[in-house]
Amino acid sequence: AQHMVYLKLNGFVPTAGVSVYDVHGALVLQAAQASVVDGELALDVSELPSGAYVVVAPGASRELRANVVVTH
């Protein structure tokens, strides 16, 4: 990804914000509310440096975790 990441939710409903962690486990980005458009979680990663990240979004009974690679 370069600017935006779109994650298909497949019925998953985020109940709170979205957090992004770097490979060392440090929180590098947090959105207070998840932005869901047409069943996809939209996340602006344009401010993050190139690298690997983990996106975490809590739900009612489980959480969504996705690995993302940002390249600029």
Side-chain angles (χ1 to χ4, degrees):
Q2 291 182 341
H3 302 287
M4 294 294 293
V5 170
Y6 298 94
L7 301 172
K8 289 197 179 290
L9 296 177
N10 296 324
F12 178 81
V13 178
T15 57
V18 178
S19 301
V20 180
Y21 299 91
D22 66 12
V23 294
H24 303 291
L27 179 66
V28 294
L29 180 67
Q30 190 166 26
Q33 186 172 357
S35 175
V36 178
V37 178
D38 294 329
E40 293 182 334
L41 176 67
L43 186 62
D44 182 355
V45 296
S46 61
E47 298 297 318
L48 295 178
S50 295
Y53 299 91
V54 177
V55 177
V56 179
S61 62
R62 62 183 175 101
E63 67 181 14
L64 170 74
R65 288 184 169 263
N67 296 324
V68 174
V69 176
V70 175
T71 57
H72 295 289

